[in-house]
Amino acid sequence: MSDWNDKIIVEFRANGGQVGGQFAGAPLLLLHTVGAKSGQPRVNPMMYQKVDGGYAVFASKGGAPTNPDWYYNLLAHPQTQAEIGTDKVELVARVAAGNERERIWSAQKAAYPGFADYERKTTREIPVVVLEPAP
């Protein structure tokens, strides 16, 4: 994990899910995944959008040409956890498609225009992952 992520994680946990800097006021969660290849636990801070029945996260990777590792981790191990505020919730991940993806993605770009910038930087379709409460 990068020092940058480590600092955000520490700040998130020390302040009940709130952080400053570029993420001040933004909805942020800590996504726990299991490495698709390594099997090692991973934690990634990321913005989310509350959606019916759960949360959506975005595999933007800043507009890079490839998806982030956490996306592949969720494909391999969809049972996951997230820290949201001071709560840790059990979730199941699925990739949104079609109209559902477009609706969620359009709302995210409207609320946070940086996501539209990420889309312009890449030729890939940025995956939208819906995290729903585990049964």
Side-chain angles (χ1 to χ4, degrees), residues 56-124:
V57 293
F58 309 91
S60 62
K61 198 176 177 183
T66 59
N67 292 319
D69 291 343
W70 65 259
Y71 173 75
Y72 297 107
N73 295 347
L74 288 177
L75 292 179
H77 305 283
Q79 297 279 17
T80 191
Q81 296 176 330
E83 293 175 58
I84 303 169
T86 58
D87 296 326
K88 192 169 194 179
V89 293
E90 299 288 329
L91 301 162
V92 178
R94 66 176 177 80
V95 178
N99 290 337
E100 178 189 37
R101 182 208 173 271
E102 186 55 37
R103 178 177 42 79
I104 295 168
W105 180 240
S106 292
Q108 188 69 10
K109 291 188 297 183
Y112 299 96
F115 284 86
D117 293 339
Y118 301 153
E119 184 176 57
R120 282 190 288 276
K121 289 180 181 178
T122 187
T123 57
R124 68 183 169 90

Side-chain angles (χ1 to χ4, degrees), residues 10-43:
V10 168
E11 184 179 1
F12 181 100
R13 290 176 174 159
N15 296 297
Q18 300 298 313
V19 299
Q22 73 183 79
F23 293 113
L28 198 69
L29 61 75
L30 301 182
L31 182 67
H32 292 249
T33 62
V34 174
K37 295 178 184 174
S38 70
Q40 295 299 306
R42 307 281 186 223
V43 179

